[in-house]
Amino acid sequence: MRIQLSEHFTYRKLLRFTLPSVIMMVCTSIYGVVDGVFVSNFVGSDAFAAVNIIMPFLMVLGAVGFMLGTGGSALAAYTLGAGNEKRANEIFSLLIYVLIGLGAVFTIGGIAFLTPMSRLLGADETMLPVCVSYGHVSSCWA
């Protein structure tokens, strides 16, 4: 289905373009809730507090990835829509390389700065090991 900006925009067409983003945000939110439920019920309230202390640091790292992925894919799609397939492939390849490199830098930097960031965000000596442990798992696998 090809859509021109000049033609009538229906709810079906609106859903076609917005539904993937909505589903992604819902899944991301459910992940946070389910993670909190499992940690609080099976590990305890100190661990749940530690997870919530380190979460802003992890969210900042994730936000940069979301930003680059969304902006880069929009730029590649725009270029492809303009009929320049070769340039769109170049942009997409560059985006992949940048995200792989930035992912490696963020993983190494995130792990290196987990302890200072946990302290800066308010972790005491009881919660610090749990913050660092959760941060390691989230930095390497998320």
Side-chain angles (χ1 to χ4, degrees), residues 36-139:
V37 167
F38 276 98
V39 169
S40 65
N41 285 327
F42 296 112
V43 184
S45 59
D46 285 343
F48 184 57
V51 166
N52 285 310
I53 285 174
I54 196 63
M55 191 58 69
F57 177 63
L58 299 174
M59 286 295 131
V60 167
L61 297 179
V64 174
F66 279 132
M67 177 185 68
L68 288 174
T70 302
S73 63
L75 184 60
Y78 172 78
T79 307
L80 186 62
N84 194 347
E85 186 175 338
K86 183 177 185 296
R87 180 70 181 143
N89 286 334
E90 291 170 357
I91 290 171
F92 186 75
S93 295
L94 177 65
L95 176 66
I96 295 297
Y97 297 139
V98 167
L99 288 174
I100 288 171
L102 198 60
V105 168
F106 275 10
T107 299
I108 293 167
I111 289 171
F113 291 107
L114 272 174
T115 302
M117 283 305 296
S118 297
R119 284 198 173 107
L120 182 70
L121 292 170
D124 60 13
E125 294 305 317
T126 306
M127 289 186 257
L128 187 63
V130 182
C131 285
V132 172
S133 178
Y134 183 79
H136 280 158
V137 171
S138 294
S139 294

